C-alpha cells in the first residue's frame, strides 16, 4: 500500500508498505496483550507489585493481601504461567518472586509511575 492508496493522504506516513507489514505481524502485539491481560485485575497487580519487592510464600502473601490462600494461589498460578513470576521450593514451602527480566522491570516501573508510588525501603 502506498500513500496514494490511503483513503486520506495527510502526508505523514512515508512508507505505508513497511508500516502495514509491521502491523500485520501480530505475534509481538499478541505477546504484549497477553502480558497486559495479567494486569487487568487489581488483585493481580497488587500481588505482582509486592513480588517485585519481596520473595514470599503463599501463606505470607495471603496474610499481607488479607485473602485466602486458595484465592492467592489462583492469581499466582496465572502470573507464573504468564512468565511474570517464578517460584522455588524450600522444604515444604514454595516461595514466589518477580522474574528478573526487562518486561517485568518495565511493568513494575509502569505501575509505580501510574500510581505515583515508590518502592518500599528494604
Amino acid at each position: 500500500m502506498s500513500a496514494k492508496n490511503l483513503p486520506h493522504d495527510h502526508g505523514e506516513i512515508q512508507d505505508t508498505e513497511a508500516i502495514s507489514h509491521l502491523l500485520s505481524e501480530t505475534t509481538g502485539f499478541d505477546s504484549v496483550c497477553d502480558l497486559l491481560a495479567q494486569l487487568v485485575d487489581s488483585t493481580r497487580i497488587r500481588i505482582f507489585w509486592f513480588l517485585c519487592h519481596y520473595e514470599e510464600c503463599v501463606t505470607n502473601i495471603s496474610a499481607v493481601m488479607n485473602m485466602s490462600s486458595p484465592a492467592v494461589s489462583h492469581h499466582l498460578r496465572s502470573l507464573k504461567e504468564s512468565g511474570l513470576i517464578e517460584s522455588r521450593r524450600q522444604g515444604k514451602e514454595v516461595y514466589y518472586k518477580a522474574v528478573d527480566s526487562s518486561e517485568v522491570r518495565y511493568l513494575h516501573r509502569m505501575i509505580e509511575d501510574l500510581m505515583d508510588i515508590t518502592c518500599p525501603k528494604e
Side-chain angles (χ1 to χ4, degrees):
M1 176 185 293
S2 69
K4 296 174 191 169
N5 295 337
L6 289 175
H8 296 137
D9 180 9
H10 301 287
E12 302 220 359
I13 301 174
Q14 300 302 316
D15 190 354
T16 56
E17 286 182 32
I19 295 297
S20 292
H21 177 72
L22 288 172
L23 292 174
S24 69
E25 299 295 322
T26 61
T27 305
F29 290 103
D30 291 341
S31 295
V32 170
C33 185
D34 291 343
L35 279 177
L36 293 176
Q38 291 302 310
L39 302 178
V40 298
D41 183 288
S42 65
T43 300
R44 230 173 282 148
I45 291 174
R46 291 172 29 220
I47 292 171
F48 172 73
W49 182 84
F50 177 73
L51 293 176
C52 285
H53 301 280
Y54 304 100
E55 179 182 46
E56 275 300 342
C57 65
V58 173
T59 303
N60 286 349
I61 298 168
S62 298
V64 168
M65 297 292 296
N66 198 26
M67 294 175 63
S68 71
S69 290
V72 167
S73 292
H74 168 76
H75 290 293
L76 290 171
R77 185 172 28 262
S78 184
L79 288 166
K80 189 174 179 184
E81 287 173 359
S82 72
L84 293 174
I85 66 169
E86 60 189 0
S87 64
R88 69 173 178 88
R89 181 174 291 280
Q90 183 174 343
K92 292 183 179 183
E93 294 286 345
V94 177
Y95 292 87
Y96 295 88
K97 68 177 183 176
V99 170
D100 185 15
S101 71
S102 60
E103 292 88 358
V104 165
R105 286 189 295 277
Y106 180 77
L107 291 172
H108 171 239
R109 190 170 46 251
M110 180 186 73
I111 291 166
E112 291 192 342
D113 287 350
L114 291 172
M115 291 182 51
D116 195 25
I117 60 175
T118 57
C119 297
K121 296 191 192 288
E122 298 184 40

